[in-house]
Amino acid sequence: MIFTVVVLGAPYSSAANSTALRFCRAALEQGHTLKRIFFYGDGVHTGSSLSAPPQDEYKLTEQWQSLIRENQLDAIVCIAAALRRGVLDADEQQRYQKSAANLSQDFTLSGLGQLIEASATSDRTITFGA
Amino acid sequence: MTSMLCISRHTPSGNALAREALDTVLAAAAYEQDIKLLFMDDGVWQLLKGQQPSHINQKDITKNLSALPIFGVEEVYVHEPSLQSRGISRDSLSLNNVQLLTNEQTQALIASQQHILSF
């Protein structure tokens, strides 16, 4: 089956974020396809490369990064939701003259059309965090 | 064209999800998908007339809601038991062209859709 996954929960704030990560792992292990993972709402914080949890805690954003990298997944962070919440790539940092960019290189900023297009070409859309 | 239903279940000002759901509906309409919108649970508060969100530095979501037909979103549904349990009458809704659904009708609507976008 081809899945589009929507992540609305923020890492560490919402259990939905780590549930989504485990869902993605399980789907891939069982031979399913992840068309796209779309991070929206507070879920955009997953794309931050600056998360620094205590040593004895699960490295949630690093786990997302390695899942995406190792499986060459298409991970989109909604640009409008991300800009509001201070998750920027280098282009947006320049455009808005901000002091830093923090989007991990495993993620891409793009628009809601990426969610609609992915859903339209998937068998199921699964949302985590609403 | 894919049949899609967006379910909006959060209050208009307490959570960004209300606006983000609406933006998703508009994006789906722009991509010419068969998109419908269902308000249920606390999402029905979004439809209440006379909101003044500018007092808390927020934009008024009801203006965008009333513009939905212009963007090609013709089917807007409201879960009637959610209205009843919150004491909201049909007269106090800002949209006239909504269809009220019973539990059974809501189940049937959800089951009939290829994709559910849940907010």
Side-chain angles (χ1 to χ4, degrees):
Chain A
M1 199 171 267
I2 304 173
F3 288 103
T4 290
V5 174
V6 184
V7 183
L8 299 173
Y12 298 104
S13 303
S14 163
N17 193 280
S18 57
T19 308
L21 176 70
R22 290 194 299 278
F23 174 87
C24 289
R25 283 224 183 90
L28 291 170
E29 277 166 15
Q30 294 191 18
H32 297 292
T33 301
L34 297 178
K35 167 79 183 175
R36 184 166 290 147
I37 310 172
F38 193 84
F39 296 88
Y40 191 33
D42 290 340
V44 300
H45 291 294
T46 316
S48 171
S49 59
L50 298 180
S51 166
Q55 277 198 338
D56 60 348
E57 283 187 22
Y58 191 62
K59 308 288 183 287
L60 189 50
T61 56
E62 284 179 25
Q63 291 294 322
W64 273 112
Q65 290 163 19
S66 55
L67 177 85
I68 292 161
R69 204 176 316 129
E70 286 158 16
N71 297 282
Q72 298 182 305
L73 299 177
D74 187 5
I76 303 289
V77 173
C78 175
I79 188 164
L83 289 175
R84 285 192 184 101
R85 292 168 173 87
V87 178
L88 280 73
D89 65 7
D91 286 347
E92 299 307 314
Q93 179 203 352
Q94 270 197 330
R95 189 193 319 274
Y96 293 97
Q97 301 283 301
K98 295 296 181 185
S99 58
N102 59 344
L103 186 74
S104 154
Q105 59 184 2
D106 302 298
F107 298 80
T108 307
L109 289 182
S110 192
L112 275 168
Q114 297 284 321
L115 166 58
I116 302 303
E117 189 267 336
S119 279
T121 50
S122 300
D123 299 309
R124 293 281 188 280
T125 303
I126 313 285
T127 303
F128 293 88
Chain B
M1 199 156 73
T2 310
S3 63
M4 295 181 179
L5 172 68
C6 177
I7 307 179
S8 193
R9 296 186 296 109
H10 288 82
T11 53
S13 302
N15 199 305
L17 286 172
R19 173 160 294 276
E20 285 163 341
L22 190 54
D23 286 344
T24 305
V25 169
L26 294 174
Y31 277 72
E32 298 185 337
Q33 301 298 320
D34 175 22
I35 181 79
K36 296 146 223 83
L37 177 56
L38 165 67
F39 294 95
M40 66 184 293
D41 299 340
D42 278 341
V44 298
W45 292 114
Q46 295 175 42
L47 297 166
L48 208 60
K49 266 189 229 171
Q51 298 185 40
Q52 296 177 299
S54 62
H55 291 303
I56 52 167
N57 305 313
Q58 293 199 14
K59 288 185 189 168
D60 192 352
I61 200 171
T62 50
K63 280 184 205 155
N64 301 59
L65 288 174
S66 54
L68 283 172
I70 299 168
F71 293 97
V73 183
E74 305 286 351
E75 293 175 59
V76 179
Y77 301 96
V78 182
H79 180 238
E80 193 168 20
S82 298
L83 287 178
Q84 287 165 344
S85 62
R86 287 164 183 78
I88 303 173
S89 69
R90 183 167 193 155
D91 296 344
S92 51
L93 302 185
S94 61
L95 297 184
N96 305 318
N97 54 341
V98 294
Q99 294 182 53
L100 303 193
L101 302 182
T102 63
N103 280 330
E104 291 72 22
Q105 289 168 327
T106 303
Q107 285 170 359
L109 174 68
I110 292 171
S112 70
Q113 300 300 304
Q114 284 171 276
H115 287 273
I116 302 295
L117 298 160
S118 175
F119 290 93

